[in-house]
Amino acid sequence: MEPNEPSKPGCFVESFLSPTFEQWSYLLGKQGREDVLVVDPGFRTGLLLDAIRHRNLRLAAILNTHGHSDHIAGNRTLKEAFPDAPLVIGRNEAHLLTDPVANLSAAFGQNLISPPADQLVDDKEILELAGFVLEVREIPGHSPGSVVFVVRNESPLIVIGGDVLFAGSIGRFDFPGGDGHLLVNGIRSKLFDLPDDTRVLPGHGPETTIGTERVRNPYVGERAEQYRLD
């Protein structure tokens, strides 16, 4: 477990690395509250459960940015531990939860099946969970219906981005349902309108900021040449 620095007093964000695919899961909470959020529980769900139980907290919701197996592997374990916590995913991504071929687990001989979603969310929808105000922004391209969650009531803002935007890179788009032009256009139109100091917590790799990627990212930044907006 490698905790990130709190975004401001009263809020904490902790990150948990699943070594199998070098995938990050996130635990978010507010000091003084008894409920927390988990985003994209991977293969090391025990660490997440230990962190929640050590603080005597309750899981308010499980959020999935998308349905690939490394991001949903812990859904079932968390639902069994906290059956009242809704499982939330984008409407156009929900079918991946229960389809091992679509969620890519079958290719690794795992046939991973998550519990179905309890709540489907759409682009521009606002969620209020565990003291956080989250804006949903759908950015397909890495997968058919990937969403990012923008934490609007923190300063700086926080983007929990899944496999959309990375430090110096973007998500792969050679998987079934991928589309590079959709991904690039979505990043530029739905993430690069955020303030420069917005924190980006990605599904893989180090944390970055919107301003850094807007300028330096070789795929979608200001001097990118490989992909252009139509």
Side-chain angles (χ1 to χ4, degrees):
M1 180 178 69
E2 295 185 21
N4 288 324
E5 291 297 320
S7 58
K8 69 174 185 177
C11 168
F12 65 87
V13 180
E14 293 184 8
S15 51
F16 300 78
L17 185 65
S18 295
T20 306
F21 293 98
E22 297 293 311
Q23 178 266 341
W24 290 111
S25 303
Y26 294 100
L27 175 69
L28 293 83
K30 296 269 193 177
Q31 301 291 350
R33 291 186 64 105
E34 297 181 352
D35 49 355
V36 291
L37 302 177
V38 167
V39 184
D40 288 348
F43 288 96
R44 300 189 72 186
T45 318
L47 293 177
L48 285 164
L49 286 174
D50 288 347
I52 295 170
R53 289 168 172 163
H54 179 73
R55 294 184 173 94
N56 295 315
L57 298 174
R58 173 180 59 84
L59 184 58
I62 306 160
L63 307 180
N64 288 158
T65 60
H66 63 294
H68 287 161
S69 58
D70 54 332
H71 292 255
I72 66 171
N75 283 355
R76 184 173 300 279
T77 299
L78 288 180
K79 281 291 290 183
E80 290 173 352
F82 296 94
D84 294 333
L87 176 58
V88 181
I89 196 170
R91 184 175 305 278
N92 296 314
E93 193 77 4
H95 65 284
L96 275 69
L97 294 173
T98 55
D99 184 340
V101 174
N103 67 36
L104 307 182
S105 64
F108 296 94
Q110 294 179 320
N111 291 320
L112 188 150
I113 296 177
S114 163
D118 299 300
Q119 182 176 351
L120 303 180
V121 293
D122 298 299
D123 188 45
K124 299 180 181 179
E125 188 167 343
I126 301 295
L127 305 175
E128 296 188 17
L129 297 165
F132 294 99
V133 178
L134 307 166
E135 179 189 354
V136 178
R137 297 192 177 190
E138 184 180 46
I139 304 178
H142 172 69
S143 62
S146 290
V147 300
V148 305
F149 297 98
V150 182
V151 183
R152 304 295 317 199
N153 62 333
E154 290 297 315
S155 180
L157 302 181
I158 301 171
V159 170
I160 306 171
D163 291 357
V164 170
L165 178 65
F166 300 134
S169 188
I170 60 176
R172 291 177 59 169
F173 45 83
D174 57 341
F175 294 131
D179 186 312
H181 292 291
L182 279 179
L183 180 61
V184 168
N185 288 344
I187 292 169
R188 289 174 171 170
S189 65
K190 293 186 177 181
L191 289 183
F192 284 176
D193 64 334
L194 295 169
D196 283 352
D197 64 350
T198 301
R199 297 172 62 189
V200 179
L201 307 182
H204 305 270
E207 180 177 328
T208 185
T209 66
I210 289 295
T212 297
E213 300 312 311
R214 185 189 291 113
V215 173
R216 300 180 183 176
N217 192 290
Y219 296 93
V220 289
E222 293 174 353
R223 291 185 289 273
E225 295 294 334
Q226 186 168 358
Y227 301 102
R228 295 183 179 277
L229 289 170
D230 294 333

